Amino acid sequence: MATKPPFISVWARETPPPRRGREHPALSREQIVRAALELLDAEGMEALSMRKLGARLGAGATSIYWHVSNKDELLELVLDEVYGEVRIPELTEPASWRDAAAVFAYGMRQAMLKHPWMVPLLGVLPSFGPNALAVNNTLMTAFEEAGFTGKTLDYAVGAVVSYTLGATTPEVTWLNMVARSEAGADEWLTNLMRQVEVAAADYPDMLARYSTEDFSDMGVAKSLTFDFGLVAMLDGLEVRLRWHLDESKPPDPSSASPAVDAAVDAAGRG
Amino acid sequence: MATKPPFISVWARETPPPRRGREHPALSREQIVRAALELLDAEGMEALSMRKLGARLGAGATSIYWHVSNKDELLELVLDEVYGEVRIPELTEPASWRDAAAVFAYGMRQAMLKHPWMVPLLGVLPSFGPNALAVNNTLMTAFEEAGFTGKTLDYAVGAVVSYTLGATTPEVTWLNMVARSEAGADEWLTNLMRQVEVAAADYPDMLARYSTEDFSDMGVAKSLTFDFGLVAMLDGLEVRLRWHLDESKPPDPSSASPAVDAAVDAAGRG
DNA sequence: ATCCTCATCGTACGCTGTGCGAGTGACTTC
DNA sequence: GAAGTCACTCGCACAGCGTACGATGAGGAT
């Protein structure tokens, strides 16, 4: 059992000093990353192999390894390239932290929907690239100007980012599945529904709920769901912002009722 | 370029009727799933190959394919097995929907931290298994008893699930990285910090914020962050529950200020 | 004893990431 | 001009992957 080599983020490793070399190298890191991005968008994650990427660049497969030390490293670069698409405009109004958050959330969601292959990567690769940092910084600054400070600032920004990620992930999973079902999405969906109905026979409430569901305009429904949760989160944060500004203590400092504590402890021991 | 076969969820495919066969087949689906789960927990995703799994079961690699048609299908089964660990106790108090949500959130988070390999899977495989449905159903029922109905019910539950997923994902990514860095976590972290400082030189605010950060007790910090966002979300939902019960319209039906609309539209076109 | 079905397994195919060493051409130094 | 250095490219090879396929055997049913 060969232990796998340690993971070192591109952004954490020493970059060799640029020495003068040939004028026109055939390959460049930017070029490779761009080609990889195109390939991923066109055919998805499992279509990206070093050989295919090399072929697309008119180069040998292993030539890539001069510019990039790993496939993981390449993926880190591509991922940060996507973060570059998430642009948050300067919003100078006072208390426009809500707008900044909303623009980020929708931008991030759009990026994830446009590049579905990136979603699993978020669970494996860190997001320390310059573009990811820039996005994060913009959000931080907007929240800071609104009055969030210290840990509350981190908490609030983290909450918005978390919701955005978590809300979009299953959406992308769903779309991936529909896309992969080659047959018409309709027939595939009814097939799935029938099976789920069987599996969910034990839960009559669930069946009742599903039967009233409208699957015709899924896109709109997903958007509404996303917006609902986002606004709910922002409202919750706004309450905390007021507490923060007034330096008033929240009425109940902890979320945990005794019942919750007990259940969480039990789960922890299991 | 061979087009990949379509994806068909385990839960959506026809299961062959059980015919009477040998009394003691050497392998069983449950056994395989359990062994796969152990292997994944012990050595992570990329250590799970059909050959290794077969070896661990004292069987040939391809024998597994009698009980499971795919590696993806096996992973779907293992994933649902993990959902089985997320148990939400019966909370019969009125208005205990908050407790139910909190217990789910902490349970799900714990499961994800315990089985880090599952996080990327959430972006690829659907969660239609019986255990996943059970968890979802319990949450739904608790919210319904509290007064959520119709689409608002879906929205509210979805918001809690989304936040939980999205908040835990980067946590797991982080832990994975630290674990993979073979060298002491401390030295690895300082190394990363140095590089990030260089990369973030353009953002003086960010540097200032990071320097006041305390990295000593990361676990506690992450827990606090998680709880903060969760309670914020629940507060936001509680406001909506009251609107819902009073059938009063929210003061501002949409989150979108003109500035946000413009920005979102621009992103959509890009 | 014969047949039929369930279940297991060995082999093989095409694919993957990537380590290694040889090759190539341009620039620097004499 | 000659020699050397160095950036860069590439072919080969290795170990491993998922899994299609056909052979093989082990029971129960007849």
Side-chain angles (χ1 to χ4, degrees), chain B residues 174-196:
Chain B
W174 176 267
L175 287 181
N176 261 336
M177 266 203 343
V178 173
R180 277 236 266 161
S181 67
E182 81 173 2
D186 295 340
E187 117 186 39
W188 175 84
L189 195 135
T190 59
N191 192 354
L192 175 68
M193 280 285 293
R194 183 160 15 98
Q195 292 299 126
V196 169

Side-chain angles (χ1 to χ4, degrees), chain A residues 4 46 144 209 235 240, chain B residues 4 46 144 235 240:
Chain A
K4 66 189 168 191
E46 68 279 4
E144 203 168 28
R209 281 193 291 268
D235 284 357
R240 276 150 188 77
Chain B
K4 66 189 167 191
E46 69 279 3
E144 203 168 26
D235 283 358
R240 273 149 190 80

Side-chain angles (χ1 to χ4, degrees), chain B residues 1-258:
Chain B
M1 170 180 53
T3 66
K4 66 189 167 191
F7 175 78
I8 301 172
S9 174
V10 213
W11 318 111
R13 85 175 157 95
E14 308 281 338
T15 57
R19 311 179 190 181
R20 61 267 131 76
R22 191 184 323 199
E23 288 187 24
H24 302 295
L27 261 46
S28 76
R29 179 179 269 203
E30 294 79 25
Q31 194 186 151
I32 293 172
V33 171
R34 208 180 321 128
L37 182 55
E38 288 170 13
L39 197 51
L40 285 167
D41 284 342
E43 309 192 44
M45 183 79 262
E46 69 279 3
L48 178 69
S49 74
M50 299 308 260
R51 281 171 241 259
K52 277 190 206 163
L53 183 57
R56 170 178 270 251
L57 290 164
T62 57
S63 306
I64 300 167
Y65 284 90
W66 178 257
H67 304 271
V68 152
S69 73
N70 243 344
K71 192 183 185 183
D72 273 358
E73 193 171 301
L74 171 61
L75 290 176
E76 271 192 283
L77 293 168
V78 180
L79 189 60
D80 196 62
E81 200 73 8
V82 175
Y83 273 106
E85 294 179 12
V86 184
R87 290 258 154 263
I88 306 175
E90 300 287 333
L91 301 173
T92 49
E93 301 175 32
S96 62
W97 64 277
R98 277 177 150 271
D99 289 353
V103 171
F104 160 78
Y106 276 97
M108 188 75 201
R109 187 176 100 111
Q110 205 129 48
M112 290 169 75
L113 291 173
K114 186 177 171 190
H115 312 287
W117 45 264
M118 82 181 277
V119 172
L121 288 186
L122 294 173
V124 185
L125 302 175
S127 300
F128 290 149
N131 286 325
L133 290 183
V135 169
N136 190 60
N137 185 65
T138 311
L139 215 48
M140 282 271 188
T141 305
F143 275 48
E144 203 168 26
E145 282 174 4
F148 289 102
T149 61
K151 301 217 165 179
T152 308
L153 173 59
D154 284 331
Y155 291 164
V157 172
V160 172
V161 175
S162 292
Y163 171 74
T164 305
L165 244 63
T168 312
T169 294
E171 240 182 290
V172 170
T173 308
W174 176 267
L175 287 181
N176 261 336
M177 266 203 343
V178 173
R180 277 236 266 161
S181 67
E182 81 173 2
D186 295 340
E187 117 186 39
W188 175 84
L189 195 135
T190 59
N191 192 354
L192 175 68
M193 280 285 293
R194 183 160 15 98
Q195 292 299 126
V196 169
E197 278 170 17
V198 173
D202 306 335
Y203 313 113
D205 297 350
M206 182 185 303
L207 273 185
R209 281 192 293 267
Y210 267 115
S211 59
T212 65
E213 205 74 22
D214 179 20
F215 287 102
S216 57
D217 49 1
M218 200 73 98
V220 179
K222 297 277 185 187
S223 288
L224 290 176
T225 304
F226 183 76
D227 199 72
F228 179 93
L230 177 63
V231 183
M233 176 62 90
L234 294 181
D235 283 358
L237 293 181
E238 189 159 358
V239 171
R240 273 149 190 80
L241 174 59
R242 275 198 285 270
W243 290 343
H244 194 62
L245 293 176
D246 301 350
E247 298 195 18
S248 64
K249 278 275 172 81
D252 184 317
S254 164
S255 73
S257 76

Side-chain angles (χ1 to χ4, degrees), chain A residues 162-199:
Chain A
S162 292
Y163 172 74
T164 305
L165 243 62
T168 313
T169 294
E171 241 183 292
V172 170
T173 308
W174 176 266
L175 287 181
N176 262 335
M177 267 203 339
V178 173
R180 277 237 265 159
S181 66
E182 79 173 6
D186 295 340
E187 117 187 40
W188 175 85
L189 195 136
T190 59
N191 193 353
L192 176 68
M193 280 283 292
R194 182 159 17 95
Q195 293 300 125
V196 169
E197 278 171 17
V198 174

Side-chain angles (χ1 to χ4, degrees), chain A residues 189-268:
Chain A
L189 195 136
T190 59
N191 193 353
L192 176 68
M193 280 283 292
R194 182 159 17 95
Q195 293 300 125
V196 169
E197 278 171 17
V198 174
D202 306 336
Y203 313 115
D205 296 351
M206 183 187 299
L207 274 185
R209 281 193 291 268
Y210 267 116
S211 60
T212 64
E213 205 75 22
D214 180 19
F215 287 102
S216 58
D217 48 1
M218 200 74 97
V220 179
K222 297 277 185 188
S223 288
L224 289 176
T225 304
F226 184 76
D227 199 72
F228 179 95
L230 177 63
V231 183
M233 176 63 91
L234 294 182
D235 284 357
L237 293 181
E238 189 159 358
V239 172
R240 276 150 188 77
L241 174 59
R242 274 198 286 268
W243 289 343
H244 194 63
L245 292 176
D246 301 349
E247 297 194 22
S248 65
K249 278 271 170 86
D252 183 320
S254 163
S255 74
S257 77
V260 174
D261 277 340
V264 170
D265 283 354

